[in-house]
Amino acid sequence: MSARYINFNGEILPEDSILLTIANRGFKYGDGLFESMRLMKGKLQFAELHAERLQRGMKALKIDGYSQADTWFLREQVEQLGRRNKIRHGRVRLTVYREAEGLYTPTQNKMGFCLEISPLDEPRYFLNERGLIMDIYSELPKPLNYLSTIKTCNSLLYVMAGLFKQQNKLDEVFLLNANGFLCEAGAANIFVWYQNHLYTPALSEGCVEGVMRQVVIKLAQDNDIPVTEAQINPEILNEADEVFLTNATSGIQWVMGYGVKRYFNRVSKGLMDELNKL
C-alpha cells in the first residue's frame, strides 16, 4: 500500500513526516480538541454539525480562528485529503491545537491543525451483527464542567477506560459522571430504551456533545419515537429493553449484554435504517 498523506496546517505531507517539536502544546498540555468524522462516497457526512461543534469547542478553549473553521473549510479540507489519498470511504480525524509557546499560560492563541484519514470499506453505516458486551467503568468518574461536552485532547479518562475494557475482555464500557449518573460510553454516546421511551444523558450530565447523538435524537423525533435528554441512574441498565451507542464513525451500535442482562435491537435497527436514508 502506498504511503498516506495528512494535511498539516494546510500543507499536504506524507503521514510519516516528523512535524511536532517538543514545544507543541497539544503534546505538552493536551491543549487542543479534536473532531472525529466520516467520509462516505467522497463526501463528508454531517459537515455542518461538525463545524458548529468544532467552532463552539474552539471558542470555549479561547483558540482564535474559529470563524474560519466553518462548514466550507471542513468539507474542502476533508474531501481534498480523501481525493489525495484515493479514499472514498474513511474515518477522519481533525486535531486542532493552540499554536503557541509558554508554560501553562500560552504566549498566543493561534490555531494549528492536523487532518488525517484512514480507509473504511463501507459506503454506508452497518449495525453490528453481534451485540456489544459492556460493563460500568467506575474507577474514574467524569468531571462536570463546561469542558466536559468538548472532545479535548486531554483523553486520559478514555485511555484508562480503554485499559479497563481490554483487561476485562469487554467490547465497550459505560462511564459515570462525578454524581454517579450515566454519562457516556468509552467512545460513544448512550441511548436507553425503557418503557417505550428513549432516554439519553443530557449534556448537563457531562457527556460529549456527539454529532451522531444530535442526528439520532432528530431521527427519533421525526419518526414519532418519544425521546428525552435526562439524568439517568445506572440502575436503569438492569431494567431497560434496549441499549445502543452512537458516534460519527460507526453510526449506531447495539448492546447485547450488561452483566446477566440481555437486550433486544429493534429500535436501533429501525433508527439505523432511517440513518442510511439521510
Side-chain angles (χ1 to χ4, degrees):
M1 192 191 118
S2 57
R4 278 205 290 272
Y5 294 93
I6 60 167
N7 176 334
F8 185 71
N9 289 322
E11 222 183 317
I12 303 285
L13 300 164
E15 75 173 349
D16 57 3
S17 306
I18 295 165
L19 301 165
L20 299 188
T21 70
I22 57 159
N24 181 280
R25 295 187 65 85
F27 162 70
K28 263 192 165 161
Y29 305 116
D31 187 3
L33 71 168
F34 68 97
E35 200 66 31
S36 309
M37 300 169 280
R38 176 101 179 232
L39 185 75
M40 272 192 203
K41 300 177 184 167
K43 295 264 174 278
L44 176 62
Q45 298 292 294
F46 310 115
E48 213 163 288
L49 295 178
H50 282 293
E52 284 169 10
R53 178 172 73 165
L54 175 64
Q55 290 182 319
R56 277 196 300 275
M58 287 175 69
K59 218 170 172 171
L61 295 184
K62 299 179 168 53
I63 296 176
D64 296 340
Y66 57 82
S67 56
Q68 75 178 73
D70 59 8
T71 308
W72 184 87
F73 168 85
L74 273 192
R75 270 209 186 101
E76 188 68 11
Q77 302 292 336
V78 169
E79 292 171 12
Q80 177 197 26
L81 190 63
R83 288 193 297 273
R84 185 67 199 265
N85 283 291
K86 298 184 171 65
I87 292 174
R88 276 176 57 72
H89 320 300
R91 174 189 282 119
V92 181
R93 175 176 161 135
L94 171 69
T95 307
V96 170
Y97 59 92
R98 200 183 315 267
E99 179 76 274
E101 292 177 356
L103 300 176
Y104 285 141
T105 308
T107 53
Q108 58 172 12
N109 294 303
K110 204 172 148 235
M111 161 193 179
F113 75 89
C114 181
L115 189 64
E116 48 194 304
I117 188 167
S118 52
L120 291 170
D121 296 336
E122 304 89 20
R124 50 185 283 254
Y125 299 102
F126 282 97
L127 196 67
N128 45 324
E129 280 180 32
R130 193 182 73 80
L132 308 174
I133 299 296
M134 294 183 63
D135 205 346
I136 290 175
Y137 172 67
S138 56
E139 287 168 26
L140 213 51
K142 189 172 181 186
L144 287 165
N145 56 50
Y146 74 88
L147 296 181
S148 307
T149 58
I150 303 169
K151 289 176 75 121
T152 71
C153 293
N154 182 344
S155 303
L156 273 177
L157 165 63
Y158 304 103
V159 172
M160 300 313 289
L163 290 171
F164 175 86
K165 176 185 84 173
Q166 199 178 43
Q167 285 159 359
N168 291 278
K169 297 183 169 53
L170 299 162
D171 298 311
E172 226 337 339
V173 288
F174 295 109
L175 302 181
L176 304 178
N177 65 24
N179 297 329
F181 292 102
L182 273 183
C183 183
E184 58 197 1
N189 288 105
I190 309 169
F191 284 82
V192 178
W193 180 247
Y194 173 67
Q195 293 186 345
N196 295 317
H197 198 108
L198 196 56
Y199 295 94
T200 191
L203 294 178
S204 53
E205 294 302 297
C207 63
V208 162
E209 187 182 355
V211 161
M212 190 55 68
R213 172 186 181 276
Q214 271 176 277
V215 171
V216 167
I217 288 172
K218 174 118 179 32
L219 278 178
Q221 289 165 341
D222 292 349
N223 288 277
D224 300 321
I225 295 169
V227 58
T228 304
E229 298 177 60
Q231 184 175 74
I232 304 174
N233 189 312
E235 285 300 313
I236 200 175
L237 296 171
N238 297 313
E239 308 296 327
D241 297 306
E242 201 167 323
V243 177
F244 59 87
L245 311 181
T246 63
N247 68 25
T249 310
S250 308
I252 299 168
Q253 302 284 283
W254 71 284
V255 178
M256 180 171 68
Y258 160 69
V260 296
K261 179 69 183 169
R262 291 294 173 263
Y263 304 112
F264 301 108
N265 65 3
R266 184 182 61 84
V267 179
S268 45
K269 237 182 208 146
L271 286 168
M272 188 64 122
D273 289 343
E274 294 302 317
L275 176 60
N276 277 312
K277 288 178 193 169
L278 294 178

